[in-house]
Amino acid sequence: MIGKEFGDYTDIKELRAKAKKYYKENLQGLSVENPILKQANLQDISVQFTRAGLGKMGATSAKEHKLLLVPCLPELIRTATSITKTDNVKNKRDASQYSYLHSETMINGKRQPVTITIFTDVNGNKYYNHILPNEELK
């Protein structure tokens, strides 16, 4: 699933800049639907890409594959096959709950899980971040 959308890059800093630019120009403001969100007791089945999501993703992007997945995020949200949720017990970001969409992608010929964090507030569901759990453990 990971392609060459960003072309060549010399280091993680350059790749991060390209991923953030892509997000801002192609994803920010976009909404993607997945009916599985109803399983987390959410009324709205869409997820919106916001500026806050861009900031969180950029601030936690030390892994190359995470950045390379940015163009794939809409499809990963659409095709997520399961969801878990937690209430916002720390009262951060005015979110009522955090939901975690579980999807997967192919990286170097191997299926890899992807977890996409969604926060829900009075204005709906927002993309917050994504991780590759297998790479986070390394």
Side-chain angles (χ1 to χ4, degrees):
M1 189 174 219
I2 294 178
K4 295 281 187 184
E5 288 86 351
F6 300 132
D8 294 330
Y9 49 91
T10 56
D11 57 21
I12 196 78
K13 185 177 178 181
E14 183 181 356
L15 177 59
R16 183 179 301 111
K18 288 182 175 200
K20 288 171 74 174
K21 181 180 182 196
Y22 182 93
Y23 183 107
K24 188 172 185 175
E25 292 177 356
N26 297 283
L27 300 182
Q28 196 167 320
L30 179 71
S31 289
V32 178
E33 293 185 352
N34 186 328
I36 203 166
L37 292 169
K38 287 185 179 181
Q39 293 178 14
N41 298 324
L42 299 173
Q43 299 293 329
D44 188 4
I45 62 165
S46 66
V47 175
Q48 184 177 24
F49 290 94
T50 65
R51 187 176 161 293
L54 169 62
K56 181 66 173 179
M57 180 276 299
T60 60
S61 59
K63 305 282 184 175
E64 179 182 29
H65 290 136
K66 176 179 181 163
L67 292 167
L68 291 171
L69 279 178
V70 169
C72 305
L73 287 171
E75 187 63 19
L76 289 167
I77 290 171
R78 268 196 245 4
T79 61
T81 56
S82 66
I83 189 168
T84 54
K85 68 175 185 162
T86 58
D87 291 331
N88 184 7
V89 294
K90 295 181 181 179
N91 292 324
K92 293 168 79 175
R93 301 191 47 82
D94 296 323
S96 57
Q97 80 177 39
Y98 287 89
S99 305
Y100 307 92
L101 289 170
H102 305 283
S103 196
E104 59 181 31
T105 191
M106 295 294 285
I107 298 175
N108 299 328
K110 295 181 182 176
R111 288 203 173 282
Q112 297 291 328
V114 179
T115 302
I116 302 162
T117 304
I118 308 300
F119 78 87
T120 301
D121 64 13
V122 295
N123 296 312
N125 307 316
K126 312 283 190 318
Y127 162 83
Y128 187 60
N129 203 3
H130 68 285
I131 62 166
L132 292 123
N134 291 348
E135 289 191 3
E136 295 293 320
L137 297 174
K138 294 180 181 177

